[in-house]
Amino acid sequence: MTVKSNRPSGARRRVVRPIGFFPSLKVELSVLIVIATLIVFVMAWILQKIGWSGWMAMPLTLIVALGITYLFSHGLTAPLRQLRDAANAMADGDYTVRVQMGTDSNDEIGQLTRAFNDMAEELQHADQMRLDMIANVSHELRTPVSALQAMVENMADGVVEPTPANLEGLLNQTHRLSDLIAFLLDLSRMEAGAASLNIEEFDFRDFLDETIEPLEIADAGHAHEILLRVDDAIRMEGDQDRLRQLFTNIIANALKHSADGTTVLVEAHEDDTDGMVVTNVVNFGSQIPEAERAVIFRRFVKGKTGPGTESGGTGLGLSIARWAAQLHGGTVRVVDDKRGADFEIRLPKRHETKPARS
């Protein structure tokens, strides 16, 4: 097969067609016919001059004309053969294939090969998004499912009594699963360009208290302290479910990469100039090199092994957090801070509805 995988441009072998400089395939075919005809006449005239008979000159001129026509027609059809092979490979699920020949020509074949490669890029991107979606689902559903399994097993073994408090814990986990399923439905709508947010006004400090409480319970045994410094008067608009996903992932990441017995600081203030609520989540002592600060927000990029409760993970938590912030018109980034790794979250106090797409 002549189709090659999608490699960096420097590694590609550029294939030049014998013909393809004209802006139209019809012009190229006309030129090919004219060239072949001229060569036939010139050869026939020369052979007649040197005394060859017509019966000998005619077969030779025909062979030469056919050879030239085959040479140039091969250049015209080679990209089409690569297109055929690439289409067959894509039908088998390989979206990395690209057509190498004919991409620089100006005729309809060149336009077709470039359009095919663009389509292949889009299909590969869509396939990667599908794989990312599966990874996101696994990442988001793992925690409540594991908690439910552990609690039910303890009750079945008699380790934990089915008291009202324990049953309420089970109910809370089922509520969380229900919320995650609703989130996945909204996420699929977002990928289709039809996502919606449940915007409401709320007290920001109360929101953070409710977000931090289950994290403190889950962190039991590591002796972390989550120190909250937030002005009581901050009120903002947003989708609390999406924002809780954002802050849960950022704070959980700070706990994950903090040594046992240390403190994670969550402080927030209003930026009246820009109308933003600025939150900083700091885990003391550790630092993130400047060159890695943008990379850690990419999907599947895992943290390095450190002194915290655990390290690595699926590499999806921070990318999900950034998505939730962008959904609200905000940002998440790592900023310089002598105290340690500082994740700054900037969110608008008032939600602005974007105009619907036409």
Side-chain angles (χ1 to χ4, degrees):
M1 182 180 291
T2 56
V3 180
K4 297 184 179 181
S5 297
N6 186 23
R7 302 171 181 168
S9 58
R12 292 180 178 177
R13 180 174 62 89
R14 186 177 296 277
V15 182
V16 180
R17 296 166 58 198
I19 194 168
F21 305 104
F22 297 97
S24 172
L25 183 61
K26 292 185 291 185
V27 174
E28 292 173 350
L29 292 174
S30 300
V31 171
L32 176 59
I33 294 172
V34 170
I35 291 175
T37 303
L38 288 175
I39 290 175
V40 168
F41 276 107
V42 170
M43 283 195 62
W45 181 78
I46 293 175
L47 292 176
Q48 289 287 340
K49 286 291 186 180
I50 62 176
W52 283 41
S53 66
W55 293 107
M56 295 179 60
M58 183 177 295
L60 180 60
T61 55
L62 288 175
I63 292 173
V64 172
L66 290 174
I68 294 173
T69 303
Y70 177 81
L71 174 65
F72 282 94
S73 63
H74 180 78
L76 288 174
T77 59
L80 298 178
R81 289 191 296 273
Q82 284 199 353
L83 280 168
R84 177 202 60 199
D85 294 339
N88 290 333
M90 291 177 66
D92 293 333
D94 182 7
Y95 299 108
T96 64
V97 293
R98 300 293 183 269
V99 178
Q100 302 289 325
M101 183 176 286
T103 56
D104 295 331
S105 59
N106 301 318
D107 57 15
E108 289 85 353
I109 294 179
Q111 296 171 16
L112 177 61
T113 55
R114 289 190 292 271
F116 181 90
N117 286 339
D118 290 341
M119 179 191 69
E121 291 281 356
E122 290 297 325
L123 289 174
Q124 184 180 5
H125 177 67
D127 187 61
Q128 185 61 51
M129 288 182 64
R130 178 182 61 82
L131 297 176
D132 292 349
M133 175 69 73
I134 295 173
N136 281 337
V137 170
S138 302
H139 176 74
E140 289 299 314
L141 294 180
R142 182 177 59 183
T143 301
V145 169
S146 298
L148 276 172
Q149 181 179 357
M151 295 173 71
V152 172
E153 285 179 351
N154 289 336
M155 289 183 182
D157 295 339
V159 178
V160 176
E161 294 294 329
T163 62
N166 291 331
L167 292 175
E168 184 178 356
L170 287 173
L171 182 61
N172 290 335
Q173 292 299 330
T174 59
H175 284 324
R176 185 178 179 187
L177 278 174
S178 178
D179 292 340
L180 286 173
I181 292 171
F183 157 75
L184 292 172
L185 292 174
D186 287 341
L187 184 59
S188 65
R189 296 188 186 102
M190 181 205 69
E191 299 295 350
S196 61
L197 294 174
N198 182 25
I199 303 299
E200 56 186 341
E201 186 178 5
F202 58 91
D203 183 275
F204 191 61
R205 183 182 180 86
D206 291 343
F207 165 79
L208 287 179
D209 282 332
E210 295 172 1
T211 302
I212 291 173
E213 182 179 359
L215 291 173
E216 291 176 328
I217 296 174
D219 188 63
H222 297 289
H224 287 129
E225 178 187 4
I226 303 178
L227 181 60
L228 187 61
R229 295 177 183 171
V230 182
D231 187 356
D232 292 334
I234 299 178
R235 297 190 65 81
M236 65 175 295
E237 295 176 352
D239 187 319
Q240 292 193 60
D241 292 334
R242 302 291 182 268
L243 292 177
R244 185 166 286 110
Q245 209 174 18
L246 160 61
F247 284 95
T248 296
N249 280 322
I250 295 296
I251 298 173
N253 180 77
L255 292 171
K256 185 183 300 182
H257 295 284
S258 297
D260 291 354
T262 58
T263 300
V264 171
L265 172 64
V266 180
E267 56 182 3
H269 66 275
E270 294 185 61
D271 185 348
D272 295 328
T273 303
D274 297 330
M276 307 287 283
V277 175
V278 183
T279 307
N280 294 85
V281 179
V282 185
N283 56 306
F284 298 95
S286 63
Q287 292 286 349
I288 300 176
E290 189 170 354
E292 299 179 8
R293 293 180 182 179
V295 177
I296 60 175
F297 289 99
R298 297 176 183 171
R299 290 181 176 182
F300 310 112
V301 175
K302 301 180 181 181
K304 295 181 179 179
T305 301
T309 61
E310 57 181 298
S311 62
T314 60
L316 289 169
L318 293 181
S319 65
I320 293 173
R322 182 178 60 177
W323 169 81
Q326 292 173 344
L327 202 58
H328 285 79
T331 59
V332 180
R333 64 190 182 108
V334 180
V335 297
D336 292 327
D337 193 329
K338 294 181 180 179
R339 299 174 295 179
D342 187 346
F343 285 78
E344 182 184 81
I345 306 166
R346 297 179 64 88
L347 297 167
K349 288 185 60 177
R350 297 289 177 259
H351 180 78
E352 296 183 4
T353 303
K354 297 181 180 180
R357 297 178 182 177
S358 58

